[in-house]
Amino acid sequence: MFKITFNSQYSNADEIIETLQIHDIYNVYYETPFTVTEEKYGYGYEENSNELVSINVICDSKEEADKNYKILQDIIKESSLSIVEMDDSNFQVDFEPIDLNNGYILADPSYDCNDKNKINFIPQGAFGTGIHETTQDLLRFILDMDLSEKSVLDIGTGSGILSIASSIVNANKVTALDIRDVTEEIEFNSSLNSINNIDIVVGNAIEDKSLLSGKIYDLVIINIGGEETELFMPFIKDHIKNNGMLLVSGLVEWSYEEVKTIVESYSFALDSKKQSNEWISLLFHKI
């Protein structure tokens, strides 16, 4: 495998890629230059349009690389043009085991975790890999519960790892809700744990009232940020049982008090809080 690289102004990158596609060069990528910004409910970013970026063309063979290199010389006319051979193993991304320090480890099925309980998991690209602090703290909350005979709604499920954890602690029925179709990844990782009680629902539940019409749950989980939690609160109130539990995460320390107040205004009371770095997760119950 070979990589051809050249520099360009970020503002011109997409136009260059379109030109390459006209010449049947498709396997192209670059990393967007950005500055992380602190916002009310978390973090945002601003693109740095004046920066230089490295545009990379990946080629499967030396013959393809030589051919594309000559094309690029003719159409790009960029002195930074270079070509290197790559080690294919660079594209094998290993998922490092995550010890939750509560008797559970999130790991690849091949990993030997000795005397600890293992949640088998192979990331496929969706959000919620278990690496982020918010996901880990929610896993700790969930895995400390006994959800026998209880129903769970996981809003913004992503990879489905929180739904899988709910099933592991004996949830009777789990609904994994996402606006994107993450069915394949959830079914794959569920199968690794011999789980078959997760119902995957795809769509915008706020706009499409029919998606979960008439359904109420013992536990609702939402880990998609403070602003989104505020948006979902009327929906959550309509789909949670009296005295039901609500897990809220994706919150940052400088705004969580405001989100907490909003949640409490819908007749919820705070039971517990976990914090990892600036990220906060909260457990409520419906009054």
Side-chain angles (χ1 to χ4, degrees), residues 73-131:
Q73 283 181 314
D74 291 337
I75 64 176
I76 301 299
K77 304 186 186 305
E78 170 57 56
S79 60
S80 64
L81 199 64
S82 65
I83 182 170
V84 296
E85 186 172 4
M86 303 179 66
D87 182 353
D88 291 359
S89 64
N90 289 337
F91 288 88
Q92 303 300 317
V93 180
D94 294 326
F95 178 63
E96 291 295 326
I98 298 172
D99 192 337
L100 297 171
N101 297 313
N102 63 350
Y104 283 88
I105 287 181
L106 191 65
D108 182 276
S110 63
Y111 180 74
D112 184 2
C113 61
N114 298 320
D115 58 343
K116 293 194 175 184
N117 298 305
K118 183 173 66 169
I119 302 176
N120 292 311
F121 188 72
I122 300 176
Q124 302 291 300
F127 289 103
T129 63
I131 295 173

Side-chain angles (χ1 to χ4, degrees), residues 37-44 132 134 223-233 248-263 278-280:
T37 59
E38 186 176 300
E39 298 183 345
K40 180 178 179 180
Y41 288 116
Y43 294 101
H132 197 273
T134 58
N223 181 28
I224 51 179
E227 187 175 5
E228 293 78 6
T229 297
E230 181 178 358
L231 180 66
F232 265 97
M233 282 312 300
V248 178
S249 195
L251 311 179
V252 285
E253 60 186 357
W254 55 84
S255 64
Y256 96 91
E257 283 282 2
E258 181 176 339
V259 179
K260 171 179 170 289
T261 300
I262 291 169
V263 174
E278 72 270 37
W279 297 100
I280 290 176

Side-chain angles (χ1 to χ4, degrees), residues 29-222:
Y29 73 93
Y30 64 89
E31 294 185 3
T32 302
F34 64 90
T35 300
V36 176
T37 59
E38 186 176 300
E39 298 183 345
K40 180 178 179 180
Y41 288 116
Y43 294 101
Y45 69 93
E46 295 178 353
E47 294 183 353
N48 304 329
S49 59
N50 294 324
E51 286 193 14
L52 281 176
V53 295
S54 294
I55 299 180
N56 304 285
V57 180
I58 303 301
C59 306
D60 290 330
S61 66
K62 181 69 163 59
E63 181 181 5
E64 180 187 358
D66 289 340
K67 174 186 173 184
N68 288 343
Y69 188 86
K70 290 178 181 178
I71 293 173
L72 288 166
Q73 283 181 314
D74 291 337
I75 64 176
I76 301 299
K77 304 186 186 305
E78 170 57 56
S79 60
S80 64
L81 199 64
S82 65
I83 182 170
V84 296
E85 186 172 4
M86 303 179 66
D87 182 353
D88 291 359
S89 64
N90 289 337
F91 288 88
Q92 303 300 317
V93 180
D94 294 326
F95 178 63
E96 291 295 326
I98 298 172
D99 192 337
L100 297 171
N101 297 313
N102 63 350
Y104 283 88
I105 287 181
L106 191 65
D108 182 276
S110 63
Y111 180 74
D112 184 2
C113 61
N114 298 320
D115 58 343
K116 293 194 175 184
N117 298 305
K118 183 173 66 169
I119 302 176
N120 292 311
F121 188 72
I122 300 176
Q124 302 291 300
F127 289 103
T129 63
I131 295 173
H132 197 273
E133 292 97 324
T134 58
T135 309
Q136 291 187 32
D137 278 343
L138 285 186
L139 285 169
R140 293 183 184 103
F141 266 126
I142 294 167
L143 294 168
D144 195 40
M145 297 176 176
D146 181 2
L147 295 177
S148 298
E149 303 303 317
K150 296 190 182 298
S151 56
V152 177
L153 171 61
D154 179 11
I155 298 173
T157 186
S159 70
I161 186 59
L162 301 178
S163 293
I164 291 169
S166 299
S167 184
I168 286 173
V169 291
N170 304 314
N172 182 51
K173 185 67 178 178
V174 181
T175 299
L177 172 66
D178 207 290
I179 199 167
R180 298 167 298 116
D181 189 353
V182 290
T183 302
E184 185 176 343
E185 177 164 0
I186 295 176
E187 289 183 344
F188 174 70
N189 280 302
S190 294
S191 69
L192 297 180
N193 294 279
S194 301
I195 289 170
N196 57 13
N197 68 334
I198 297 177
D199 181 26
I200 302 163
V201 177
V202 178
N204 188 327
I206 292 179
E207 293 183 0
D208 185 355
K209 306 295 185 183
S210 67
L211 279 180
L212 296 174
S213 178
K215 295 184 179 181
I216 56 175
Y217 299 86
D218 297 288
L219 170 64
V220 175
I221 306 164
I222 181 166

